[in-house]
């Protein structure tokens, strides 16, 4: 069906908001990317972390997106804020509301 | 902003597909529920499990939805298939593509 990823970024102290901003920019840069169905940026109860969950038409389309100029630029900008990255889950959406 | 939940159901052996069907019915029953933004049913590499991630306008609207007749009926139908339920994460979506 499609390819979903749930990941968590850990930031340097106090940089959660800045990273949320950058990742929302990344989401905006994907607005016209048809293979990206969802790119949602969230926070949780855990301080200095940012949650991103994405749904792509395929694993290949996700991988290719990492080479897009806008994505590469934002990754470079975000790198100094990030101390850790953890993939919580990959999942295969079967359907539902909002997809 | 809003209220997100990521959860995992464990099913009795071989009942993953049946539970996916029921949960997709639950998603369909929420199509006209404005407070439900996302209700997405997925599978993962782990056998006999079903992943659901939901985004609601608020925690209260999610809680109220559990009392909806269609939701209660589907929960009763699904109960015999489910051996476990685990809330992987609650999250507060800040924005992004697809929301």
């Amino acid at each position: 069906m499609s390819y979903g990823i749930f990941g968590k970024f850990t930031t340097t102290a106090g940089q959660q908001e800045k990273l949320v901003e950058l990742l929302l920019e990344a989401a905006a840069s994907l607005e016209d990317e048809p293979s990206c169905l969802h790119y949602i940026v969230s926070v949780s109860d855990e301080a200095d972390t940012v949650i991103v969950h994405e749904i792509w038409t395929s694993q290949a389309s996700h991988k290719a997106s990492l080479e897009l100029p806008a994505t590469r630029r934002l990754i470079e900008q975000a790198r100094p804020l990030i101390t850790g990255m953890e993939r919580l889950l990959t999942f295969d959406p079967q359907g539902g509301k909002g997809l």
Side-chain angles (χ1 to χ4, degrees), chain A:
Chain A
M1 294 288 277
S2 41
Y3 177 69
I5 315 167
F6 218 93
K8 179 170 78 170
F9 292 93
T10 307
T11 70
T12 46
Q15 294 300 316
Q16 180 190 62
E17 221 171 306
K18 180 67 187 147
L19 184 57
V20 164
E21 252 173 57
L22 281 174
L23 292 170
L24 287 175
E25 253 186 73
S29 76
L30 293 166
E31 274 302 325
D32 301 330
E33 175 49 56
S35 65
C36 174
L37 306 176
H38 284 179
Y39 189 103
I40 295 172
V41 182
S42 304
V43 294
S44 68
D45 299 339
E46 197 180 344
D48 296 328
T49 62
V50 181
I51 304 289
V52 174
H53 71 276
E54 309 171 49
I55 298 179
W56 294 79
T57 49
S58 68
Q59 188 166 3
S61 63
H62 167 252
K63 200 168 171 223
S65 77
L66 299 176
E67 299 311 318
L68 293 167
T71 310
R72 289 177 70 90
R73 181 175 53 76
L74 287 157
I75 288 171
E76 282 321 304
Q77 278 182 276
R79 202 184 292 280
L81 310 176
I82 296 170
T83 57
M85 231 167 81
E86 188 189 340
R87 183 163 288 191
L88 301 176
L89 187 75
T90 49
F91 55 96
D92 179 3
Q94 303 296 294
K97 178 173 183 180
L99 192 57

